[in-house]
Amino acid sequence: MNDFVTNIVNCLPDLLAAAPLTLLLTLVAGVIGLVVGTFLALARLSGQPLLSLPAAAFMFVVRGTPLLVQLYLIYYGLGQYLGHSWVRQSFLWPYMREGLTFALFAYSMNQAAYNAEVLRGALQSISKGQIEAAQAIGMSGFQTLWRVRLPLAFGNCLPVLTSDIIILLKSTALASTVTILELMGTARVIQRQSLQVYEPLIACGLVYFVVVVLLTALMRPLENRLTRYRKG
Amino acid sequence: MAEFLNYMAWGPKGWGDEFFFAFFMTLKISLIAYGASFAMGLLFAMFKLSNSRFLRGIAGTYTTVVRALPEMLMILLVYFAVAGMAEKMLVSAGLVGSEFQFSPFWTAVFALAFVSGAFMTEVIRAGLLAVPKGGIEAAWAIGMSGPQIFRRVVMPQMMRHSLSGLGNLWLGITKDSAIVSILGAFGELLQTGYRAAAATKEYGYFYGLTALLFLLITILSLAVLHWMEKRLNRGLL
Amino acid sequence: MDTNQPALSVRDIHKQFGNTEVLRGVSFEAHSGDVVSIIGSSGSGKSTLLRCINFLESPNSGEIVVGGEAIRTRKDKTGSLVPVDKAQLRQMRARLGMVFQNFNLWDHRTVMDNIIEGPVHILKQSKKQAKEQARALLDKVGLFDKEDHYPSQLSGGQQQRVAIARALAMNPTVMLFDEPTSALDPELVSEVITVIRQLAEEKRTMIMVTHEMALAREISSKLIFLDQGLIHTQGSPAEVMDNPDSDRLRQFLGMLNAA
């Protein structure tokens, strides 16, 4: 039993060193996903078939297929095609060959699709009156969007967006399957090197648990501040 | 183009039959895991609503821990650690021979169910809480037994209230079943895609095909769920 | 500007929803300082008429002229009038202060932010100047101490008074009131009416759709009875209300008295 605990503790330094990469994946994909997701939601609601149909199709396909398959498709599939194309000659190739770039791309697109669905609902749920009030004082379409519709939509769906960030954080574990040594990947390397089966996984679980609890605790005050207008 | 058609040939030369059976294997894994996770969800939801602090503690720990950890980590943990420990316990208790091992397939399915069960617990708990007390009291009043009340009064109303949550969990479990591919060769979709892609080096094609088949499962599921919802709203289910 | 020029001319407005003709050619004018009240049973098209004035609804034909300047329009494929020049429409809307039945304050902004939004971002006033003006307006509507509150923290009557201050902050040529008291609890109606009465005394040009007959009689220079998409009767409140010239009007007024 003592050995067991010691083994777990011994895993922690390497895992803690890998935690920043997990957070980096979460942060970058979270931000890109939110920006792209906003544009997707707007395209989806634009009423222009040329914009709304591709947006709807993208959202449906991404949300209807496993993230792990998307990761493989982008990491192996895109890598296969780009590797044969002009991209290979470009100065970007050394960066792109890295699994991290592909993973970030996959996670960003996945997060964008889920965020877009949430934002679509939030944008639709805004009362028409508040939009009309903006039009009635002479706001342009863009002003109405930027100053009224988007702030209200984000306020409405903030709890879902923050819980989607936690889901994203957890799903970054899958990146270990495309050679990325974030938390999960590092745990599996330790598994192989130490020939211990349980301890690295349990240690890894402890680190995830702490990160998830901390991140949730960090987002709560942010959520409260951004939606303080709703407290009566 | 013809090349891609050849890839899909039936038999040893192509991958058509592999993908055909993989499609049903993914469905099979998902269905069994879903059934098991429903049973677990029901059990732990009743724990959560019970008067026993001990049972509530167990259920609370289960849902909190599982929902805070990555699905992949949980599945690996259950597959390796929990199954391994259970085997050791059974062996040391003398119940089974020292060579005993759980079947990897069933362990993998159980791992998937174990993760989904935590989310299932929350959905069912909310559904049970939404069942009006008056209906249960009326059932006692006409002399129904406990199990009768559960089957005839509580379950139908709980299902009605939870349908969208249950549907989402089904869609989730079909997608999460892809994670099982990292545990071993069970012949489900992603693992089949992996083998085909590695053998032919046509990664884009075969992972694209894999994604398409998963999408097909989603589309079929949505159609069935939509049909069920309509029947439920008419009070037919 | 010619002083005889009407502040607002509404000319031959037609509006159809699907196959239903809601407005069948409505025209009226309001000169500076006029208070025009539009009455009529629900479904008579009075709210639609008001919303056509600032193009929240697009009329199918007709013309809106504010202070001598017509909103330039053309017909689109569906047969609705659409503005030719969106920038001009925005300028015209800025000159028409609208007060809605449901207040429509922006939930995510404080009272102060709601009021200075237009002056700062549409009229391009400085924030400081806009805030000074906003405080004066809040004082006028009796809410001087509420500038940091959010709409959800205010009663309906208070929200409507903020909404009136928000419309006034644009210093509009004409104020449009769309049933400003009908979403309010009865005990909150009077505080809003007090503010509206005060605006009438200051000779604000106002167009008001309302069910408050006592208020309409007291402050209106002209009363319009709208029925089935047409102006049925118009005149001074006394003319319209004391000597109803038709069964429909008698029926409508009788219904209000009974209620």
Side-chain angles (χ1 to χ4, degrees), chain A residues 127-141 143 147-148 151-152 228-232, chain C residues 51 54 56 90 93-94 96 98 100 104-109 117-118 121-122 124 150 152-153 166 170:
Chain A
S127 77
K128 219 176 148 225
Q130 300 199 56
I131 297 167
E132 285 183 346
Q135 292 167 341
I137 64 163
M139 280 197 195
S140 64
Q143 279 177 316
R147 305 198 56 83
V148 176
L152 281 170
R228 75 206 130 127
Y229 61 84
R230 259 188 276 161
K231 313 282 179 302
Chain C
R51 292 164 58 83
N54 63 358
L56 284 181
R90 291 200 296 270
R93 279 175 166 171
L96 297 164
M98 177 103 167
F100 297 85
N104 295 346
L105 293 178
W106 296 303
D107 292 339
H108 62 304
R109 315 295 302 275
E117 181 71 23
H121 292 279
I122 310 296
K124 307 292 177 198
Y150 285 96
S152 63
Q153 299 166 315
R166 175 174 71 176
M170 298 294 285

Short mmCIF file of all heavy atoms in Angstrom, two decimals, chain A residues 127-141 143 147-148 151-152 228-232, chain C residues 51 54 56 90 93-94 96 98 100 104-109 117-118 121-122 124 150 152-153 166 170:
data_model
loop_
_atom_site.label_atom_id
_atom_site.label_comp_id
_atom_site.label_asym_id
_atom_site.label_seq_id
_atom_site.Cartn_x
_atom_site.Cartn_y
_atom_site.Cartn_z
N SER A 127 -35.21 38.74 -26.79
CA SER A 127 -36.53 39.28 -27.08
C SER A 127 -36.42 40.27 -28.24
O SER A 127 -35.49 41.06 -28.32
CB SER A 127 -37.12 39.95 -25.85
OG SER A 127 -36.53 41.22 -25.66
N LYS A 128 -37.39 40.19 -29.12
CA LYS A 128 -37.40 41.03 -30.32
C LYS A 128 -37.41 42.50 -29.94
O LYS A 128 -36.84 43.34 -30.63
CB LYS A 128 -38.65 40.68 -31.14
CG LYS A 128 -38.42 40.66 -32.62
CD LYS A 128 -39.68 40.22 -33.37
CE LYS A 128 -39.72 40.91 -34.70
NZ LYS A 128 -41.04 41.46 -35.02
N GLY A 129 -38.06 42.80 -28.81
CA GLY A 129 -38.22 44.18 -28.37
C GLY A 129 -36.89 44.89 -28.15
O GLY A 129 -36.75 46.06 -28.50
N GLN A 130 -35.92 44.17 -27.58
CA GLN A 130 -34.64 44.83 -27.31
C GLN A 130 -33.90 45.15 -28.60
O GLN A 130 -33.16 46.12 -28.68
CB GLN A 130 -33.78 43.94 -26.42
CG GLN A 130 -34.47 43.65 -25.12
CD GLN A 130 -33.53 43.18 -24.04
OE1 GLN A 130 -32.56 43.84 -23.71
NE2 GLN A 130 -33.81 42.03 -23.49
N ILE A 131 -34.12 44.31 -29.62
CA ILE A 131 -33.52 44.59 -30.92
C ILE A 131 -34.23 45.77 -31.57
O ILE A 131 -33.59 46.68 -32.13
CB ILE A 131 -33.59 43.34 -31.82
CG1 ILE A 131 -32.79 42.21 -31.18
CG2 ILE A 131 -33.08 43.65 -33.22
CD1 ILE A 131 -33.02 40.86 -31.80
N GLU A 132 -35.56 45.80 -31.45
CA GLU A 132 -36.31 46.92 -32.02
C GLU A 132 -35.96 48.23 -31.35
O GLU A 132 -35.89 49.27 -32.02
CB GLU A 132 -37.82 46.65 -31.88
CG GLU A 132 -38.32 45.62 -32.86
CD GLU A 132 -39.82 45.41 -32.76
OE1 GLU A 132 -40.42 45.87 -31.78
OE2 GLU A 132 -40.37 44.78 -33.68
N ALA A 133 -35.71 48.18 -30.03
CA ALA A 133 -35.33 49.41 -29.33
C ALA A 133 -34.03 49.95 -29.91
O ALA A 133 -33.85 51.16 -30.03
CB ALA A 133 -35.18 49.14 -27.84
N ALA A 134 -33.12 49.04 -30.28
CA ALA A 134 -31.85 49.47 -30.88
C ALA A 134 -32.07 50.07 -32.26
O ALA A 134 -31.52 51.11 -32.60
CB ALA A 134 -30.89 48.28 -30.95
N GLN A 135 -32.94 49.41 -33.05
CA GLN A 135 -33.23 49.94 -34.39
C GLN A 135 -33.92 51.29 -34.28
O GLN A 135 -33.65 52.21 -35.06
CB GLN A 135 -34.13 48.96 -35.16
CG GLN A 135 -33.42 47.67 -35.50
CD GLN A 135 -34.38 46.60 -35.98
OE1 GLN A 135 -35.58 46.68 -35.75
NE2 GLN A 135 -33.85 45.60 -36.65
N ALA A 136 -34.82 51.41 -33.28
CA ALA A 136 -35.63 52.62 -33.17
C ALA A 136 -34.80 53.85 -32.84
O ALA A 136 -35.19 54.96 -33.18
CB ALA A 136 -36.72 52.43 -32.13
N ILE A 137 -33.64 53.68 -32.15
CA ILE A 137 -32.84 54.89 -31.92
C ILE A 137 -31.86 55.13 -33.07
O ILE A 137 -31.07 56.06 -33.02
CB ILE A 137 -32.07 54.88 -30.59
CG1 ILE A 137 -31.01 53.77 -30.55
CG2 ILE A 137 -32.98 54.79 -29.40
CD1 ILE A 137 -29.99 54.00 -29.45
N GLY A 138 -31.92 54.28 -34.10
CA GLY A 138 -31.12 54.54 -35.28
C GLY A 138 -29.82 53.76 -35.37
O GLY A 138 -28.91 54.14 -36.08
N MET A 139 -29.73 52.63 -34.62
CA MET A 139 -28.51 51.82 -34.73
C MET A 139 -28.48 51.09 -36.06
O MET A 139 -29.51 50.68 -36.59
CB MET A 139 -28.47 50.78 -33.60
CG MET A 139 -28.01 51.31 -32.28
SD MET A 139 -27.54 49.92 -31.23
CE MET A 139 -27.49 50.73 -29.64
N SER A 140 -27.27 50.91 -36.59
CA SER A 140 -27.11 50.12 -37.81
C SER A 140 -27.19 48.65 -37.44
O SER A 140 -27.15 48.29 -36.27
CB SER A 140 -25.75 50.42 -38.45
OG SER A 140 -24.73 50.00 -37.59
N GLY A 141 -27.26 47.80 -38.46
CA GLY A 141 -27.30 46.36 -38.22
C GLY A 141 -26.09 45.90 -37.42
O GLY A 141 -26.22 45.12 -36.48
N GLN A 143 -24.14 47.75 -35.44
CA GLN A 143 -24.21 48.27 -34.07
C GLN A 143 -25.18 47.45 -33.23
O GLN A 143 -24.90 47.13 -32.08
CB GLN A 143 -24.66 49.73 -34.08
CG GLN A 143 -23.55 50.72 -34.38
CD GLN A 143 -24.08 52.14 -34.46
OE1 GLN A 143 -25.13 52.39 -35.05
NE2 GLN A 143 -23.37 53.07 -33.85
N ARG A 147 -23.58 45.73 -30.11
CA ARG A 147 -23.86 46.40 -28.85
C ARG A 147 -25.04 45.78 -28.10
O ARG A 147 -25.18 45.97 -26.90
CB ARG A 147 -24.10 47.89 -29.07
CG ARG A 147 -22.95 48.57 -29.81
CD ARG A 147 -22.97 50.07 -29.64
NE ARG A 147 -22.95 50.44 -28.23
CZ ARG A 147 -21.84 50.52 -27.50
NH1 ARG A 147 -20.67 50.28 -28.07
NH2 ARG A 147 -21.90 50.85 -26.26
N VAL A 148 -25.91 45.07 -28.81
CA VAL A 148 -27.10 44.54 -28.14
C VAL A 148 -27.21 43.02 -28.27
O VAL A 148 -27.25 42.30 -27.28
CB VAL A 148 -28.38 45.21 -28.67
CG1 VAL A 148 -29.63 44.60 -28.04
CG2 VAL A 148 -28.34 46.71 -28.40
N PRO A 151 -23.90 40.83 -26.87
CA PRO A 151 -23.76 40.84 -25.40
C PRO A 151 -24.91 40.10 -24.71
O PRO A 151 -24.67 39.35 -23.77
CB PRO A 151 -23.80 42.33 -25.04
CG PRO A 151 -23.45 43.05 -26.28
CD PRO A 151 -23.86 42.20 -27.43
N LEU A 152 -26.13 40.29 -25.19
CA LEU A 152 -27.26 39.59 -24.57
C LEU A 152 -27.16 38.09 -24.78
O LEU A 152 -27.41 37.30 -23.88
CB LEU A 152 -28.58 40.12 -25.14
CG LEU A 152 -29.06 41.45 -24.55
CD1 LEU A 152 -30.23 41.99 -25.36
CD2 LEU A 152 -29.47 41.27 -23.10
N ARG A 228 -24.26 39.92 -13.94
CA ARG A 228 -24.81 40.51 -12.71
C ARG A 228 -26.11 41.23 -13.00
O ARG A 228 -26.92 41.44 -12.13
CB ARG A 228 -23.78 41.43 -12.05
CG ARG A 228 -23.58 42.77 -12.73
CD ARG A 228 -22.20 43.28 -12.43
NE ARG A 228 -21.60 43.66 -13.68
CZ ARG A 228 -21.07 44.86 -13.92
NH1 ARG A 228 -20.97 45.73 -12.97
NH2 ARG A 228 -20.59 45.16 -15.10
N TYR A 229 -26.33 41.63 -14.28
CA TYR A 229 -27.55 42.37 -14.59
C TYR A 229 -28.81 41.54 -14.40
O TYR A 229 -29.91 42.05 -14.39
CB TYR A 229 -27.50 42.88 -16.03
CG TYR A 229 -27.41 41.82 -17.09
CD1 TYR A 229 -28.57 41.19 -17.55
CD2 TYR A 229 -26.19 41.46 -17.63
CE1 TYR A 229 -28.49 40.22 -18.52
CE2 TYR A 229 -26.11 40.48 -18.59
CZ TYR A 229 -27.25 39.87 -19.05
OH TYR A 229 -27.19 38.91 -20.01
N ARG A 230 -28.62 40.20 -14.28
CA ARG A 230 -29.82 39.38 -14.16
C ARG A 230 -30.33 39.25 -12.74
O ARG A 230 -31.45 38.84 -12.51
CB ARG A 230 -29.56 38.00 -14.74
CG ARG A 230 -30.17 37.92 -16.13
CD ARG A 230 -30.11 36.53 -16.65
NE ARG A 230 -28.81 36.30 -17.23
CZ ARG A 230 -28.32 35.09 -17.45
NH1 ARG A 230 -29.00 34.05 -17.09
NH2 ARG A 230 -27.15 34.95 -18.02
N LYS A 231 -29.47 39.58 -11.75
CA LYS A 231 -29.93 39.49 -10.36
C LYS A 231 -30.88 40.64 -10.08
O LYS A 231 -30.53 41.78 -10.26
CB LYS A 231 -28.73 39.58 -9.41
CG LYS A 231 -27.56 38.70 -9.78
CD LYS A 231 -27.79 37.25 -9.38
CE LYS A 231 -26.61 36.37 -9.77
NZ LYS A 231 -26.29 36.39 -11.20
N GLY A 232 -32.05 40.29 -9.66
CA GLY A 232 -33.07 41.32 -9.44
C GLY A 232 -32.82 42.13 -8.18
O GLY A 232 -31.90 41.91 -7.44
N ARG C 51 -45.79 51.65 -35.71
CA ARG C 51 -44.54 50.98 -36.06
C ARG C 51 -44.16 51.23 -37.52
O ARG C 51 -42.99 51.06 -37.88
CB ARG C 51 -44.65 49.48 -35.77
CG ARG C 51 -44.73 49.19 -34.26
CD ARG C 51 -45.23 47.79 -33.99
NE ARG C 51 -44.38 46.79 -34.61
CZ ARG C 51 -43.27 46.33 -34.06
NH1 ARG C 51 -42.88 46.76 -32.90
NH2 ARG C 51 -42.53 45.43 -34.70
N ASN C 54 -41.77 54.61 -37.92
CA ASN C 54 -40.31 54.52 -37.91
C ASN C 54 -39.80 53.25 -38.61
O ASN C 54 -38.69 52.82 -38.39
CB ASN C 54 -39.74 54.65 -36.49
CG ASN C 54 -40.18 53.53 -35.59
OD1 ASN C 54 -40.94 52.66 -35.99
ND2 ASN C 54 -39.71 53.56 -34.36
N LEU C 56 -40.33 50.15 -38.25
CA LEU C 56 -40.13 48.85 -37.60
C LEU C 56 -40.98 47.83 -38.34
O LEU C 56 -40.68 46.64 -38.37
CB LEU C 56 -40.50 48.92 -36.12
CG LEU C 56 -39.49 49.61 -35.21
CD1 LEU C 56 -39.96 49.59 -33.77
CD2 LEU C 56 -38.11 49.00 -35.33
N ARG C 90 -31.71 55.61 -40.63
CA ARG C 90 -31.20 55.66 -39.25
C ARG C 90 -31.27 57.08 -38.70
O ARG C 90 -31.64 57.28 -37.55
CB ARG C 90 -29.75 55.14 -39.21
CG ARG C 90 -29.66 53.65 -39.47
CD ARG C 90 -28.35 53.09 -38.96
NE ARG C 90 -27.18 53.62 -39.66
CZ ARG C 90 -26.67 53.07 -40.76
NH1 ARG C 90 -27.19 51.98 -41.26
NH2 ARG C 90 -25.61 53.60 -41.32
N ARG C 93 -34.87 57.74 -37.88
CA ARG C 93 -35.27 57.03 -36.67
C ARG C 93 -34.75 57.74 -35.42
O ARG C 93 -35.42 57.79 -34.39
CB ARG C 93 -34.74 55.59 -36.69
CG ARG C 93 -35.58 54.66 -37.54
CD ARG C 93 -34.93 53.30 -37.62
NE ARG C 93 -35.84 52.29 -38.12
CZ ARG C 93 -35.47 51.06 -38.45
NH1 ARG C 93 -34.22 50.68 -38.34
NH2 ARG C 93 -36.36 50.20 -38.88
N ALA C 94 -33.53 58.29 -35.55
CA ALA C 94 -32.96 58.99 -34.41
C ALA C 94 -33.81 60.21 -34.05
O ALA C 94 -33.78 60.69 -32.93
CB ALA C 94 -31.52 59.41 -34.72
N LEU C 96 -37.09 60.18 -34.25
CA LEU C 96 -38.39 59.68 -33.79
C LEU C 96 -38.14 58.87 -32.52
O LEU C 96 -37.64 57.76 -32.57
CB LEU C 96 -39.02 58.79 -34.86
CG LEU C 96 -39.38 59.47 -36.19
CD1 LEU C 96 -39.62 58.43 -37.26
CD2 LEU C 96 -40.59 60.36 -36.02
N MET C 98 -38.99 56.46 -29.72
CA MET C 98 -40.05 55.45 -29.56
C MET C 98 -40.07 54.91 -28.13
O MET C 98 -39.04 54.56 -27.57
CB MET C 98 -39.79 54.30 -30.54
CG MET C 98 -40.77 53.16 -30.42
SD MET C 98 -41.97 53.24 -31.77
CE MET C 98 -42.74 51.64 -31.64
N PHE C 100 -41.90 51.86 -26.05
CA PHE C 100 -42.61 50.62 -26.35
C PHE C 100 -43.53 50.20 -25.22
O PHE C 100 -43.31 50.56 -24.06
CB PHE C 100 -41.61 49.48 -26.58
CG PHE C 100 -40.70 49.68 -27.75
CD1 PHE C 100 -39.52 50.41 -27.62
CD2 PHE C 100 -40.99 49.12 -28.99
CE1 PHE C 100 -38.67 50.58 -28.70
CE2 PHE C 100 -40.14 49.28 -30.06
CZ PHE C 100 -38.98 50.02 -29.92
N ASN C 104 -38.70 47.50 -23.29
CA ASN C 104 -37.56 47.10 -24.13
C ASN C 104 -36.26 47.79 -23.76
O ASN C 104 -35.47 48.15 -24.62
CB ASN C 104 -37.86 47.33 -25.61
CG ASN C 104 -39.00 46.47 -26.10
OD1 ASN C 104 -39.38 45.51 -25.42
ND2 ASN C 104 -39.54 46.77 -27.25
N LEU C 105 -36.04 47.95 -22.47
CA LEU C 105 -34.72 48.40 -22.05
C LEU C 105 -33.73 47.28 -22.32
O LEU C 105 -34.10 46.11 -22.34
CB LEU C 105 -34.72 48.74 -20.55
CG LEU C 105 -35.58 49.94 -20.15
CD1 LEU C 105 -35.52 50.13 -18.64
CD2 LEU C 105 -35.11 51.20 -20.86
N TRP C 106 -32.47 47.65 -22.53
CA TRP C 106 -31.45 46.61 -22.74
C TRP C 106 -31.05 46.05 -21.38
O TRP C 106 -30.45 46.74 -20.55
CB TRP C 106 -30.26 47.22 -23.49
CG TRP C 106 -30.68 47.67 -24.85
CD1 TRP C 106 -31.27 46.92 -25.83
CD2 TRP C 106 -30.60 48.99 -25.39
NE1 TRP C 106 -31.54 47.69 -26.94
CE2 TRP C 106 -31.15 48.96 -26.69
CE3 TRP C 106 -30.11 50.20 -24.89
CZ2 TRP C 106 -31.22 50.09 -27.50
CZ3 TRP C 106 -30.18 51.31 -25.69
CH2 TRP C 106 -30.72 51.26 -26.99
N ASP C 107 -31.37 44.78 -21.19
CA ASP C 107 -31.18 44.13 -19.89
C ASP C 107 -29.75 44.17 -19.39
O ASP C 107 -29.51 44.16 -18.20
CB ASP C 107 -31.57 42.64 -19.99
CG ASP C 107 -33.06 42.47 -20.21
OD1 ASP C 107 -33.79 43.41 -19.91
OD2 ASP C 107 -33.46 41.39 -20.70
N HIS C 108 -28.80 44.16 -20.35
CA HIS C 108 -27.41 43.99 -19.94
C HIS C 108 -26.73 45.32 -19.62
O HIS C 108 -25.55 45.34 -19.32
CB HIS C 108 -26.63 43.23 -21.01
CG HIS C 108 -26.57 43.94 -22.33
ND1 HIS C 108 -27.70 44.32 -23.01
CD2 HIS C 108 -25.53 44.33 -23.09
CE1 HIS C 108 -27.35 44.91 -24.14
NE2 HIS C 108 -26.04 44.94 -24.21
N ARG C 109 -27.47 46.41 -19.75
CA ARG C 109 -26.85 47.72 -19.48
C ARG C 109 -27.57 48.39 -18.31
O ARG C 109 -28.76 48.20 -18.11
CB ARG C 109 -26.97 48.62 -20.72
CG ARG C 109 -26.63 47.95 -22.04
CD ARG C 109 -25.18 47.54 -22.12
NE ARG C 109 -24.27 48.66 -21.95
CZ ARG C 109 -23.90 49.46 -22.95
NH1 ARG C 109 -24.35 49.25 -24.16
NH2 ARG C 109 -23.08 50.45 -22.72
N GLU C 117 -26.62 55.45 -24.48
CA GLU C 117 -26.25 54.63 -25.63
C GLU C 117 -26.46 55.39 -26.95
O GLU C 117 -25.54 55.50 -27.77
CB GLU C 117 -27.09 53.34 -25.63
CG GLU C 117 -26.78 52.37 -26.76
CD GLU C 117 -25.43 51.70 -26.62
OE1 GLU C 117 -24.91 51.62 -25.49
OE2 GLU C 117 -24.88 51.27 -27.65
N GLY C 118 -27.65 55.91 -27.15
CA GLY C 118 -27.96 56.62 -28.40
C GLY C 118 -27.16 57.91 -28.56
O GLY C 118 -26.49 58.10 -29.57
N HIS C 121 -23.42 56.86 -29.17
CA HIS C 121 -23.05 56.04 -30.32
C HIS C 121 -23.77 56.41 -31.61
O HIS C 121 -23.33 56.05 -32.69
CB HIS C 121 -23.24 54.56 -29.99
CG HIS C 121 -22.27 54.08 -28.96
ND1 HIS C 121 -20.98 53.72 -29.27
CD2 HIS C 121 -22.39 53.96 -27.62
CE1 HIS C 121 -20.34 53.39 -28.15
NE2 HIS C 121 -21.18 53.52 -27.14
N ILE C 122 -24.90 57.12 -31.50
CA ILE C 122 -25.59 57.54 -32.71
C ILE C 122 -25.34 59.03 -32.97
O ILE C 122 -24.95 59.43 -34.06
CB ILE C 122 -27.11 57.29 -32.59
CG1 ILE C 122 -27.41 55.86 -32.13
CG2 ILE C 122 -27.82 57.62 -33.91
CD1 ILE C 122 -26.99 54.79 -33.08
N LYS C 124 -23.07 60.80 -31.44
CA LYS C 124 -21.65 61.06 -31.24
C LYS C 124 -21.38 62.19 -30.26
O LYS C 124 -20.44 62.97 -30.44
CB LYS C 124 -20.95 61.37 -32.59
CG LYS C 124 -21.18 60.33 -33.67
CD LYS C 124 -20.50 59.01 -33.32
CE LYS C 124 -20.79 57.96 -34.38
NZ LYS C 124 -20.53 56.59 -33.90
N TYR C 150 -29.71 48.04 -12.74
CA TYR C 150 -30.03 47.32 -13.98
C TYR C 150 -31.55 47.25 -14.13
O TYR C 150 -32.26 47.27 -13.11
CB TYR C 150 -29.43 45.92 -13.96
CG TYR C 150 -27.94 45.93 -14.19
CD1 TYR C 150 -27.05 45.90 -13.13
CD2 TYR C 150 -27.44 46.00 -15.49
CE1 TYR C 150 -25.68 45.94 -13.34
CE2 TYR C 150 -26.07 46.04 -15.71
CZ TYR C 150 -25.19 46.01 -14.62
OH TYR C 150 -23.86 46.06 -14.85
N SER C 152 -33.55 44.90 -14.49
CA SER C 152 -34.21 43.84 -13.72
C SER C 152 -34.43 44.25 -12.27
O SER C 152 -35.17 43.60 -11.56
CB SER C 152 -33.38 42.56 -13.78
OG SER C 152 -32.12 42.77 -13.17
N GLN C 153 -33.75 45.33 -11.83
CA GLN C 153 -33.90 45.75 -10.44
C GLN C 153 -34.99 46.81 -10.28
O GLN C 153 -35.20 47.30 -9.18
CB GLN C 153 -32.57 46.31 -9.92
CG GLN C 153 -31.45 45.28 -9.96
CD GLN C 153 -30.07 45.89 -9.77
OE1 GLN C 153 -29.77 46.91 -10.37
NE2 GLN C 153 -29.25 45.27 -8.93
N ARG C 166 -34.76 57.51 -22.07
CA ARG C 166 -33.88 57.06 -23.14
C ARG C 166 -34.32 57.66 -24.48
O ARG C 166 -33.48 58.09 -25.27
CB ARG C 166 -33.91 55.52 -23.23
CG ARG C 166 -33.13 54.97 -24.40
CD ARG C 166 -33.05 53.46 -24.37
NE ARG C 166 -34.34 52.83 -24.67
CZ ARG C 166 -34.51 51.51 -24.78
NH1 ARG C 166 -33.47 50.70 -24.59
NH2 ARG C 166 -35.70 51.00 -25.04
N MET C 170 -32.39 61.43 -27.06
CA MET C 170 -32.04 61.63 -28.46
C MET C 170 -32.55 62.99 -28.96
O MET C 170 -32.33 63.35 -30.10
CB MET C 170 -32.65 60.52 -29.33
CG MET C 170 -32.15 59.12 -29.00
SD MET C 170 -30.41 58.92 -29.37
CE MET C 170 -30.46 58.80 -31.16
#
